[in-house]
């Protein structure tokens, strides 16, 4: 038998259809703050990828999926398979991914092939690059994801049975099938858009078909009619079908809440990034945290949703040009509409493409960043040199820092200048997180030297008499682990799973609460706000406002408002010493007096400890059983000496019976 020649093909963007189910039991059981953080990271990921901040070009869209097969589908189109690989693994690093399970995925590449005379002219180079046909085929290879409400994805193959083998038919017979099939597809122009991607050697089927429409009945009618065409009835085999509806990343909270999406404008849940819109200070080249204006989820979608800044909707009607051995193909005329690629950005190269160094701590020291103030022992630093002026790149670095702040392992990212040279410094708690960040930082203007190294050894554990590991604690991470070993939840390294700000005031608690009420109402509009509470002591000598937020940037923004409250005398982190350690306890009403007496006893012990400055017990102005202990120390190690003590362990055991909820320990400096 003669060897049959396959049609010429050209490939474009690589595609990943990532279908995930939600672990609804785990989601319902998770604390609200954990769910809020998961939503924040999920929105941040989807926003960044829909805006194509990770690659030079491409598209991303997210859909609900109806039925039992999955709950959401993320569609990525990117120039390289490495981009898809990074996108899939980047999602797994988000807190939201922990509540999902990948039920189905499909890898393919957009494809054009030559079955008709016109397409053969294109592949043989007889068509000018600026011709309508050439531009149209390029638009098929680099499509814009349309903004139609519904999506339908399914994989398919051509049948290879002894008496029905597509690949044993002649070129002419296959071309005739494709032309007739395309004639059907063209009748649905304007009602159904499509994307055809080849997957031979990529996945279990030979093609992946993605259809979009504002009315699923159009897709049903199209596929029904095509079922009766011989190219389908004789030669087509189909995989599972996934049907869903597109939603904006900002509507992820509504999706998880079971609300209808798209939501009305008035009911769209505000994203955690929205709080950053309120009077951020300009980014400072010498600051460890920039506060440049951030995009909201809706702003990030402007120009990116459904195809970037182009007007085309990419996949035109089924039966158009250059689409390979699949059921929906035929050539278009040379007047076919052209398309363009999406927006640009930096591709995350998660490989360690920087030079490993041993003197990272010394280099940071020359830039004014020192252990204990700017980072903890065991963190990992990137030090990238840029030939650009510091003031020219500070905004871009600040924008990256705002994105990095979605991740708990990020410590800080900033621009530093030394002896007329410009450096970008990014500090993380783990090397693998820094490696991912390097892929973004290397695209900063003028970066020509890329270095990275560990910032000393992290805290080592030591065996206690009962065999448990107690941390020697040079960092807030070790504090958290020590508390957990004692059965006290202390959350993330920055302090539980929230960022906290405490402002002290000379005003009495009642007056302060009246002034803080309006602020609290305003803060409650934002998903990142956990709580803002006024506390006072029994003598009326000390009042405090404790404000808890899911992101550090949001807490910093809130501080600008809280410091305008009457009688403010200070906030955490000011002056020397360790600052404030905030301990929140909710006590069962019947044990209120017992808890106060216990505090007096423990307070007496604290006064005798080295490094202790002051510890005060304050009560919620609205609920006396909600208490806040503000403790001042000379250093973290001094504070840890108490947490490692037998007295603290006994207090923890005693508290199990008297507390109405688990305690929260938030480290504020």
């Amino acid at each position: 038998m003669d060897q049959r020649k396959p049609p010429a093909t050209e490939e474009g963007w690589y595609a990943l259809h990532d279908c995930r189910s939600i672990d609804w039991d785990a989601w319902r059981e998770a604390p609200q703050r954990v769910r809020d953080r998961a939503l924040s990271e999920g929105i941040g990921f989807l926003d960044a990828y829909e805006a194509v901040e990770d690659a030079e070009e491409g598209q991303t869209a997210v859909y609900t999926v109806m039925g039992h097969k999955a709950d959401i589908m993320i569609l990525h189109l990117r120039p390289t398979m490495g981009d898809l690989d990074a996108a899939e693994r980047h999602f797994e690093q988000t807190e939201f991914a922990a509540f999902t399970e990948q039920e189905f995925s499909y890898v393919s590449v957009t494809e054009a092939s030559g079955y008709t005379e016109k397409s053969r002219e294109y592949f043989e180079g007889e068509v000018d690059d600026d011709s309508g046909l050439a531009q149209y085929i390029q638009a098929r290879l680099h499509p814009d994801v349309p903004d139609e409400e519904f999506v339908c994805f399914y994989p398919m193959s051509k049948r290879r049975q002894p008496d029905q083998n597509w690949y044993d038919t002649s070129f002419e017979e296959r071309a005739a099938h494709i032309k007739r099939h395309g004639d059907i597809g063209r009748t649905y122009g304007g009602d159904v858009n499509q994307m055809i991607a080849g997957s031979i050697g990529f996945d279990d089927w030979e093609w992946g078909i993605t259809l979009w429409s504002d009315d699923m009945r159009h897709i049903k009618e199209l596929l029904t009619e095509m079922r009766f065409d011989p190219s389908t009835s004789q030669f087509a085999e189909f995989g599972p079908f996934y049907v869903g509806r597109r939603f904006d990343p900002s509507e992820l909270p509504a999706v998880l809440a079971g609300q209808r999406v798209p939501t009305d404008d008035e009911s769209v849940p505000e994203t955690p990034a929205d709080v950053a819109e309120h009077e951020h200070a300009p980014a400072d080249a010498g600051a460890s945290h920039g506060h440049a204006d951030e995009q909201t989820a809706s702003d990030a979608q402007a120009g990116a949703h459904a195809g970037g800044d182009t007007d085309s909707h990419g996949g035109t009607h089924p039966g158009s040009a250059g689409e390979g051995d699949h059921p929906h193909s035929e050539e278009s005329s040379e007047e076919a509409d052209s398309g363009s690629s999406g927006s640009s950005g930096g591709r995350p190269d998660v490989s360690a493409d920087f030079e490993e160094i041993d003197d990272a701590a010394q280099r940071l020291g020359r830039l004014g960043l020192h252990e204990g103030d700017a980072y903890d022992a065991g963190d990992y630093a990137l030090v990238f040199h840029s030939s650009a002026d510091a003031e020219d790149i500070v905004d871009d670095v600040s924008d990256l820092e705002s994105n990095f702040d979605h991740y708990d392992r990020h410590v800080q990212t900033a621009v530093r200048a030394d002896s007329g040279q410009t450096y970008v410094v990014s500090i993380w708690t783990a090397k693998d997180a820094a490696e991912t960040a390097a892929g973004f930082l290397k695209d900063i203007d003028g970066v020509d030297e890329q270095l990275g190294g560990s910032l000393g050894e992290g805290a080592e554990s030591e065996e206690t008499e009962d065999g448990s590991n107690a941390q020697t604690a040079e960092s807030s991470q070790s504090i958290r682990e020590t508390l957990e070993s004692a059965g006290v939840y202390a959350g993330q390294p920055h302090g539980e799973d929230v960022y906290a700000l405490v402002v002290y005031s000379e005003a009495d608690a009642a007056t302060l609460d009246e002034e803080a009420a309006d602020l609290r109402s305003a803060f409650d509009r934002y998903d990142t706000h956990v709580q803002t509470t006024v506390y006072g002591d029994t003598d009326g000598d000390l009042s405090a406002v404790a404000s808890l937020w899911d992101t550090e940037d949001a807490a910093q923004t809130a501080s600008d408002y809280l410091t305008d409250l009457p009688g403010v005398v200070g906030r955490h982190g000011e002056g020397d010493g360790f600052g404030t350690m905030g301990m929140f306890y909710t006590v069962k009403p019947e044990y209120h007096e017992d808890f106060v007496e216990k505090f007096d006893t423990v307070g007496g012990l604290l006064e005798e400890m080295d490094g202790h400055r002051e510890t005060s017990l304050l009560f919620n102005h609205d609920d006396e059983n909600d208490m806040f202990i503000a403790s001042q120390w000379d250093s973290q190690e001094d504070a840890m000496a108490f947490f490692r003590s037998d007295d603290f362990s006994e207090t923890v055991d005693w508290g199990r019976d008297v507390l109405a909820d688990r305690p929260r320990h938030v480290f504020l400096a």
Side-chain angles (χ1 to χ4, degrees), residues 184-201:
I184 298 172
R186 278 194 301 277
T187 64
Y188 289 83
D191 292 329
V192 180
N193 293 317
Q194 73 166 1
M195 179 181 73
I196 305 300
S199 52
I200 295 177

Side-chain angles (χ1 to χ4, degrees), residues 427-623:
I427 305 174
W428 299 77
T429 61
K431 180 180 178 181
D432 61 339
E435 289 175 342
T436 301
F440 293 90
L441 293 169
K442 71 178 184 180
D443 290 326
I444 294 294
D445 286 348
V447 167
D448 51 20
E449 183 182 44
Q450 304 170 43
L451 307 175
S454 178
L455 298 170
E457 298 295 329
E460 297 179 355
S461 62
E462 59 185 19
E463 289 292 313
T464 60
E465 292 181 359
D466 62 359
S468 63
N469 286 329
Q471 304 297 317
T472 56
E474 292 293 331
S475 68
S476 55
Q477 170 71 12
S478 60
I479 295 175
R480 178 177 69 90
E481 292 172 352
T482 298
L483 291 174
E484 287 181 344
S485 71
V488 177
Y489 178 79
Q492 300 301 318
H494 287 284
E496 210 212 18
D497 48 7
V498 294
Y499 293 82
L501 178 75
V502 174
V503 176
Y504 298 99
S505 173
E506 296 176 339
D508 64 83
T511 301
L512 198 60
D513 191 55
E514 291 178 2
E515 297 291 336
D518 291 339
L519 274 184
R520 188 185 302 112
S521 298
F523 290 163
D524 282 340
R525 295 177 55 244
Y526 302 103
D527 293 334
T528 45
H529 182 233
V530 178
Q531 68 181 59
T532 295
T533 309
V534 176
Y535 294 90
D537 63 7
T538 54
D539 298 328
D541 295 330
L542 179 66
S543 298
V545 180
S547 192
L548 308 184
W549 296 80
D550 282 329
T551 66
E552 185 174 16
D553 197 48
Q556 288 287 356
T557 302
S559 70
D560 295 335
Y561 296 92
L562 291 168
T563 51
D564 289 334
L565 290 170
V568 168
V569 293
R571 65 173 186 252
H572 84 274
E574 295 182 343
D576 58 355
F578 179 44
T580 297
M581 182 185 307
M583 294 169 279
F584 296 83
Y585 298 92
T586 303
V587 183
K588 296 176 182 177
E590 62 268 28
Y591 289 105
H592 176 89
E593 296 301 326
D594 293 338
F595 186 88
V596 174
E597 291 178 5
K598 187 70 172 180
F599 171 79
D600 290 338
T601 301
V602 175
L605 296 173
L606 292 175
E607 291 177 358
E608 300 174 0
M609 297 192 68
D610 292 337
H612 177 257
R613 296 189 177 188
E614 181 181 7
T615 297
S616 302
L617 177 64
L618 296 89
F619 303 89
N620 184 341
H621 177 67
D622 296 320
D623 180 5

Side-chain angles (χ1 to χ4, degrees), residues 323-337:
E323 288 160 2
D325 295 340
H326 46 70
H328 309 320
S329 58
E330 168 41 276
E331 291 299 333
S332 70
S333 68
E334 291 198 10
E335 290 77 29
D337 292 337

